[in-house]
Amino acid sequence: MTAPAVGGGVVPTPKSRRAPRVLFLTHTGRIGGAETCLLAIAPAFAAPAGASSILLFQDGALRDRLNALGMEVLLARKPLDLRAIRRDGGLLRTLPRLGGMAGLVRQIRTLASRHDLIYCNSQKSFVLGALASRTGGAKLLWHLHDILDRSHFGRAQIALVVALANRRAARVVAPSQAVADAFVAAGGCASLVTVVPNGVPPPRVVRGADARAALRQGLGLPEGFVFGVFSRLAPWKGQHIALDALALLPDATCIIAGCALFGEDDYGRVLHAQAARLGVASRVRFLGHREDVPTLMQAVDVVVHPSIDPEPFGLTLVEAMLAATPVIASRAGAAAEILDGGQVGTLVPPGDASALAVALARVRAQPERLAPVVAAARLRAERHYGVERLRGDIGDIVRAVVDR
Ligand code: GLC
């Protein structure tokens, strides 16, 4: 692209004038936390039409949501189901899928030749993006939504992705310092990483005690103390710890919103059986997937986030802060960063149901004591975890990488 120069001739327009053409990659069509973050970022790249596109390795609800934002969505020529490659699984499980992967790498390589940057929004898509990337071709950015430690992944997998990042990535974006630190501890190059906290849109506010009571009634909740857990169902998200804590709090009720997204279907059954065994089945409501999480959060007395392994970010924490509902979270991963070291929420040891029950009992005993904490939490969420800031930060990074 060129622009008229003073004095008649033409000089090249600085690259940064033209919107970077970004090829987003993601391995899943389902909408988990990382895909929610992608949906928040996408509007910054929806125009001009055709400049940026997203390649999904598998179709799913994500496609319609991206289309609605005006993004060009492409699908893998042959859908590639990488779910069998589990976070804790060995690399050997990848072997049967190598053929499909080779085809996809070729498709990515062809698409990448029309783009300035390959933006990998998941670990699996990063591996294929790295294999497809060429020296001198489109730059490679990895938005790393995982804590690369042994509680989550096998040794060989960590070694592979870190080596690929060090060799191939122009930038690694981490949603928290915890993610950045784990990447560096695993051998990742510190100068590659930029921390960009996630952003969450403000919720529709349910005002007044009546609206809250109506919401509770709609859910069939009894009067009295209710706490809620809002994340996909997965053993490491720790819903079983919340049930253990519920068993220690005789008059409390618990709602569990979320479903298994990435192959952890057995865990739902395990939770139901656990509730029956503990004799708390009548005091827990499994709500499945919900589109109205921010509203539900305003109907409970506390939001609990009981992950037993370090949480890379935890969008649910920010959602609860914006909903002005007290939060109790496991002190692992990003929770301490988001909750300002425990200033705007309560931190408990991961996997410790008794400590969680004690923290819940404290909230129940003195709800008024929490008003200033909740107000500070909301302010912090609005200041640090907004969507506009997220889009701006990502836009700046993409531009800087492309212009370099
Ligand atoms: C992943 C992480 C979660 C994070 C989300 C967005 O789903 O497990 O902690 O909030 O990505 O970064």
Side-chain angles (χ1 to χ4, degrees), residues 1 11 47 63 78 95 106 125 151 158 198 200 209 234 278 282 287 336 395 403:
M1 197 186 283
V11 293
R63 175 155 68 115
K78 277 200 193 139
L95 289 180
R106 280 195 298 276
S125 68
S151 67
I158 296 175
N198 288 333
V200 175
L278 292 171
S282 63
L287 302 181
D403 282 355

Side-chain angles (χ1 to χ4, degrees), residues 234-304:
W236 76 272
K237 294 284 185 183
Q239 283 91 348
H240 57 289
I241 302 295
L243 290 184
D244 283 341
L246 178 66
L248 299 172
L249 295 166
D251 319 310
T253 303
C254 168
I255 63 174
I256 296 188
C259 59
L261 279 182
F262 303 119
E264 290 110 341
D265 303 294
D266 286 347
Y267 186 56
R269 288 186 278 279
V270 168
L271 291 174
H272 277 94
Q274 182 192 357
R277 199 178 58 243
L278 292 171
V280 299
S282 63
R283 294 196 282 124
V284 59
R285 305 269 185 288
F286 290 96
L287 302 181
H289 173 75
R290 299 286 296 217
E291 290 289 336
D292 57 347
V293 165
T295 310
L296 292 176
M297 283 181 167
Q298 294 173 70
V300 298
D301 295 291
V302 198
V303 170
V304 170

Side-chain angles (χ1 to χ4, degrees), residues 6 27 49 51 53 120 134 136 150 162 196 253 273 308 322 328 376 397:
V6 182
H27 72 281
S53 26
C120 309
R134 288 210 155 110
R150 292 302 312 282
V162 168
V196 178
T253 303
I308 54 171
L322 288 169
I328 302 174
I397 290 172

Side-chain angles (χ1 to χ4, degrees), residues 33-34 37 145 175 198 236-237 311-315:
C37 180
H145 294 280
N198 288 333
W236 76 272
K237 294 284 185 183
E311 185 71 53
F313 186 82
L315 292 166

Side-chain angles (χ1 to χ4, degrees), residues 86-231:
R86 301 287 290 280
R87 37 202 311 129
D88 47 2
L91 283 177
L92 276 181
R93 301 214 193 166
T94 51
L95 289 180
R97 284 168 179 80
L98 278 184
M101 285 191 212
L104 194 46
V105 166
R106 280 195 298 276
Q107 187 180 359
I108 297 169
R109 193 170 282 158
T110 309
L111 288 169
S113 64
R114 302 200 295 269
H115 292 84
D116 304 305
L117 182 111
I118 308 175
Y119 191 116
C120 309
N121 196 58
S122 66
Q123 197 174 147
K124 289 165 184 169
S125 68
F126 171 67
V127 172
L128 299 202
L131 295 174
S133 70
R134 288 210 155 110
T135 314
K139 308 271 176 45
L140 191 69
L141 182 152
W142 182 13
H143 200 148
L144 168 56
H145 294 280
D146 296 313
I147 295 226
L148 291 179
D149 73 4
R150 292 302 312 282
S151 67
H152 289 283
F153 301 104
R155 202 187 300 277
Q157 181 168 344
I158 296 175
L160 171 73
V161 293
V162 168
L164 284 174
N166 286 347
R167 281 170 147 251
R168 286 278 173 204
R171 186 111 319 259
V172 174
V173 172
S176 64
Q177 195 58 48
V179 167
D181 290 347
F183 174 75
V184 173
C189 183
S191 62
L192 281 179
V193 192
T194 307
V195 175
V196 178
N198 288 333
V200 175
R204 187 175 71 83
V205 179
V206 182
R207 281 183 213 289
D210 285 354
R212 223 170 94 98
L215 245 171
R216 284 191 176 213
Q217 233 176 15
L219 292 171
L221 297 175
E223 305 235 326
F225 186 76
V226 179
F227 66 95
V229 185
F230 301 86
S231 48

